[in-house]
């Protein structure tokens, strides 16, 4: 089937992903619809990591030999690729972490120790939203507890959007940090982050964006969006697990104390005191995820070759097709916006009379891989009066035929449980 917006080379792209060629569940072809959880990896990413381990493996920045120089070049080359991909003004503003969770915790913990203009205390406010992943809730709860600041949040509308009706009251002269998701991993909602960032910065607040679902799907310009920090993770954008990114503005980074202490993040060390390296190494203590960075660099190369405008158009087309197909299933309720133009590729839903875990298990017997649970977004589920949900999520390799398989399997699930 051909849909407007689909990648024209979709079948060629699918051949780049070896796992998509396998079968599961008594020989059924794998229908992988769990990319918001983790994306699959093209062969070029796998090959780049294997080649590095086979031919260039060494620690970086320390070893005075050929392998050490090659490993350092590969690691720093990956930083250059990431910086270009997100349009970072300066490569030194790209800090490698182990995932987006660590990236957000880096900011929150450093703020807990900060002195001077960034120091938080009684009377200060931290603003988040009700749709956040737990990784963008818990660190700010901890920061509020440690500093005496007050945690506040935007609520949600019945349609799955941020309730911005009280924005003038929520973003005020006491607001010190605003942290929110760019694209919800549960509701799929694409938030107006540039507008919110502008309001926050006008009040002198720091703006932190969780872009874990945005960077894989959208063309991203971190400078233009107006945030101070942007966090995302490699494994949702065709890269490996074990590596994430924190981009931050130099002027803000330089006001933060180190997050972890150890090798590489220092300038000098004596028994009495230490001085610290400049960006980005000040926030990269110890041996970093070297081969993972190499894999992420290869993933960036792949995405740039496809083109993020094309990836976004494909996601929109597949999401619209999925929403249409899901609407044909009796008793199925989509959580979040009903229009593809308002959301990303993750679609959480309820199927009346069937527990989400049972839905996922029956789908798995049909070769369809989805996720069930609260998706690390319990407050958002509570807002809509549900304990958990089933979630399908597409990516640049998803086909209309796979959506058809999902919809057919959901009809089968209703018949299996004799609901309706």
């Amino acid at each position: 089937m051909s849909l407007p917006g689909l990648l024209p080379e979709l079948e060629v792209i699918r051949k780049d992903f070896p796992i998509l060629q396998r079968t599961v569940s008594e020989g059924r072809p794998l229908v992988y619809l769990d990319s918001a959880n983790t994306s699959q990896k093209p062969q070029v990413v796998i090959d780049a990591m294997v080649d590095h381990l086979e031919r260039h493996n060494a620690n970086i920045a320390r070893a005075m030999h050929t392998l050490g120089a090659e490993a350092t070049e590969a690691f720093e080359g990956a930083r250059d690729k990431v910086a270009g991909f997100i349009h970072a003004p300066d490569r030194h503003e790209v800090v490698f972490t182990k995932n987006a969770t660590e990236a957000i915790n880096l900011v929150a913990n450093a703020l807990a120790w900060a002195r001077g203009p960034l120091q938080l205390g009684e009377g200060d406010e931290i603003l988040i939203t009700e749709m956040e992943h737990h990784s963008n809730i818990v660190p700010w709860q901890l920061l509020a507890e440690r500093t005496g600041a007050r945690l506040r949040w935007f609520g949600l509308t019945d349609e799955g959007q941020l309730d911005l009706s009280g924005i003038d009251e929520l973003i005020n002269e006491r607001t010190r940090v605003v942290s929110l998701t760019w694209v919800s991993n549960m509701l799929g909602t694409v938030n107006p982050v540039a507008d919110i960032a502008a309001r926050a910065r006008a009040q002198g607040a720091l703006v932190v964006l969780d872009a874990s679902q945005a960077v894989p799907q959208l063309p991203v310009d971190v400078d233009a969006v107006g945030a101070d920090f942007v966090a995302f993770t490699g494994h949702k954008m065709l890269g490996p697990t074990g590596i994430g990114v924190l981009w931050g503005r130099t002027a803000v980074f330089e006001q933060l104390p180190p997050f972890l202490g150890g090798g590489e993040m220092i300038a000098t060390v004596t028994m009495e005191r230490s001085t610290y390296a400049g960006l980005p190494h000040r926030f990269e203590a110890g041996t970093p995820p070297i081969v993972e960075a190499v894999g992420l660099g290869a993933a960036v190369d792949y995405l740039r070759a496809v083109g993020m405008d094309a990836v976004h158009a494909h996601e929109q087309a597949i999401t619209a097709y999925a929403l249409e197909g899901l609407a044909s299933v009796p008793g199925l309720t989509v959580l979040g916006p009903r229009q593809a133009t308002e959301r990303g590729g993750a679609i959480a839903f309820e199927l009346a009379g069937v527990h989400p875990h049972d839905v996922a298990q029956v789908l798995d017997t049909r070769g369809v891989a989805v996720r069930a649970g609260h998706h690390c977004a319990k407050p958002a589920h509570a807002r809509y009066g549900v304990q958990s949900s089933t979630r399908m999520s597409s990516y640049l390799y998803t086909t209309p035929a796979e959506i058809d398989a999902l919809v057919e399997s959901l009809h089968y699930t209703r018949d299996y449980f004799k609901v309706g």
Side-chain angles (χ1 to χ4, degrees):
M1 175 183 293
S2 177
L3 295 175
L6 284 188
L7 286 165
E9 64 275 25
L10 179 55
E11 290 307 318
V12 175
I13 285 174
R14 286 183 61 83
K15 292 177 182 177
D16 292 337
F17 294 80
I19 202 168
L20 300 181
Q21 315 308 316
R22 68 164 293 185
T23 58
V24 293
S25 302
E26 299 179 350
R28 296 177 183 272
L30 171 66
V31 175
Y32 187 76
L33 295 173
D34 196 19
S35 292
N37 194 1
T38 195
S39 64
Q40 296 302 338
K41 323 306 173 193
Q43 189 67 52
V44 290
V45 170
I46 298 167
D47 290 345
M49 296 176 71
V50 170
D51 177 73
H52 183 85
L53 291 172
E54 288 182 342
R55 295 171 50 81
H56 312 289
N57 183 52
N59 212 334
I60 65 166
R62 298 169 178 83
M64 304 298 292
H65 50 67
T66 299
L67 293 184
E70 291 173 350
T72 301
E73 181 179 2
F75 183 77
E76 294 300 334
R79 194 190 310 277
D80 290 333
K81 292 176 182 180
V82 171
F85 187 66
I86 61 174
H87 297 89
D90 187 335
R91 68 180 301 276
H92 295 98
E93 295 177 334
V94 172
V95 170
F96 284 131
T97 61
K98 70 180 181 182
N99 46 43
T101 299
E102 182 178 82
I104 296 170
N105 274 273
L106 189 162
V107 178
N109 278 275
L111 286 173
W113 305 324
R115 297 294 178 262
L118 296 185
Q119 184 173 359
L120 274 71
E122 298 280 350
D124 293 330
E125 295 181 355
I126 303 163
L127 181 61
I128 57 175
T129 86
E130 202 173 11
M131 69 169 63
E132 300 305 315
H133 189 283
H134 298 165
S135 295
N136 204 30
I137 297 176
V138 180
W140 305 114
Q141 291 175 336
L142 293 172
L143 178 61
E145 291 172 5
R146 291 164 180 169
T147 62
R150 179 188 180 192
L151 184 67
R152 307 186 72 187
W153 52 88
F154 287 109
L156 303 177
T157 68
D158 291 343
E159 295 72 34
Q161 306 282 1
L162 289 182
D163 183 355
L164 300 177
S165 60
I167 191 170
D168 291 331
E169 190 271 330
L170 284 169
I171 299 180
N172 58 64
E173 68 278 1
R174 297 180 300 278
T175 307
R176 302 296 305 282
V177 179
V178 177
S179 188
L180 74 157
T181 185
W182 193 329
V183 179
S184 168
N185 76 308
M186 175 209 160
L187 298 171
T189 312
V190 179
N191 287 319
V193 290
D195 293 340
I196 294 172
R199 297 287 290 268
R201 295 186 73 189
Q203 292 287 355
L206 290 178
V207 179
V208 183
L209 294 183
D210 177 358
S212 298
Q213 300 293 334
V215 171
Q217 299 184 40
L218 306 172
V220 168
D221 186 326
V222 291
D223 191 40
V225 79
D228 296 289
F229 294 102
V230 176
F232 57 99
T233 191
H235 72 99
K236 299 182 191 297
M237 53 182 290
L238 309 184
T241 57
I243 187 160
V245 174
L246 177 65
W247 170 83
R249 297 186 186 277
T250 298
V252 183
F253 255 141
E254 289 179 341
Q255 297 180 67
L256 292 180
F259 173 50
L260 297 172
E264 190 60 20
M265 54 76 65
I266 51 87
T268 61
V269 175
T270 69
M271 293 307 296
E272 290 75 25
R273 65 185 300 272
S274 299
T275 58
Y276 307 120
L279 290 174
H281 306 295
R282 181 174 182 168
F283 296 99
E284 294 180 348
T287 298
I290 300 168
V291 71
E292 289 82 358
V294 170
L296 179 56
V300 166
D301 287 341
Y302 189 93
L303 288 171
R304 294 191 79 165
V306 175
M308 290 309 296
D309 286 327
V311 171
H312 180 51
H314 181 84
E315 284 274 58
Q316 292 271 279
I318 285 291
T319 300
Y321 188 71
L323 288 169
E324 181 181 354
L326 292 173
S328 73
V329 181
L332 188 145
T333 302
V334 169
L335 302 174
R338 303 301 197 272
Q339 300 298 319
T341 54
E342 299 175 344
R343 62 180 306 141
I347 305 176
F349 57 87
E350 293 181 278
L351 187 60
V354 188
H355 193 281
H357 291 172
D358 293 331
V359 173
Q361 287 184 333
V362 173
L363 294 184
D364 186 54
T365 68
R366 313 276 292 179
V368 180
V370 297
R371 184 174 178 181
H374 51 67
H375 319 306
C376 294
K378 292 190 74 172
H381 278 83
R383 163 63 178 83
Y384 296 105
V386 296
Q387 182 186 49
S388 59
S389 61
T390 308
R391 185 187 71 187
M392 66 134 288
S393 50
S394 59
Y395 203 21
L396 78 165
Y397 39 66
T398 304
T399 68
E402 291 182 309
I403 301 301
D404 292 341
L406 167 69
V407 172
E408 187 277 328
S409 295
L410 287 168
H411 283 287
Y412 173 86
T413 302
R414 293 185 76 254
D415 292 340
Y416 182 86
F417 286 102
K418 297 179 172 59
V419 296

